[in-house]
Amino acid sequence: MAEATQIAFKFRELAEILLKHQGIREGHWSIYTKFAINAANVSLNGSDHFPTALVPVIEMGLQRESDTEPGPLAVNAAEVNSAPKTAKKGASKKATK
């Protein structure tokens, strides 16, 4: 089987991964993207130059949303990154001979 050279994620999947990475366990969160805008004169295939807008992605991250009205891309951290269940005291001890 060939090695994957590209792996795509949906925005909700990215939010889940980042919530787990940051250890966030409460609230509704979604991905945000910060853009900038710049301009340049660009030639297409050696033709005339045209004024062109460049819109680079500056950063991506998580933003907390309202818990009462989360947006359509929001992820509930409590559902995707629940706290690990703690074992009851003595429940996992094995009997010794």
Side-chain angles (χ1 to χ4, degrees), residues 42-65:
V42 176
S43 173
L44 303 174
N45 299 324
S47 66
D48 292 338
H49 283 77
F50 299 97
T52 304
L54 305 170
V55 185
V57 175
I58 301 299
E59 67 183 17
M60 293 184 75
L62 289 169
Q63 72 180 14
R64 189 164 187 165
E65 296 207 7

Side-chain angles (χ1 to χ4, degrees), residues 11-21 62 75 80:
F11 289 112
R12 290 177 60 95
E13 290 175 311
L14 282 175
E16 291 176 12
I17 291 166
L18 292 174
L19 287 169
K20 290 176 182 178
H21 180 72
L62 289 169
V75 173
V80 299

Side-chain angles (χ1 to χ4, degrees), residues 20-96:
K20 290 176 182 178
H21 180 72
Q22 292 297 313
I24 299 171
R25 292 193 166 87
E26 60 182 45
H28 288 83
W29 296 79
S30 64
I31 295 293
Y32 81 87
T33 307
K34 183 176 181 181
F35 295 98
I37 191 160
N38 210 332
N41 293 317
V42 176
S43 173
L44 303 174
N45 299 324
S47 66
D48 292 338
H49 283 77
F50 299 97
T52 304
L54 305 170
V55 185
V57 175
I58 301 299
E59 67 183 17
M60 293 184 75
L62 289 169
Q63 72 180 14
R64 189 164 187 165
E65 296 207 7
S66 164
D67 288 334
T68 56
E69 294 183 37
L73 298 177
V75 173
N76 185 346
E79 292 177 4
V80 299
N81 195 25
S82 58
K85 295 181 181 178
T86 57
K88 291 183 181 178
K89 194 172 186 178
S92 63
K93 291 184 180 177
K94 292 184 179 181
T96 56

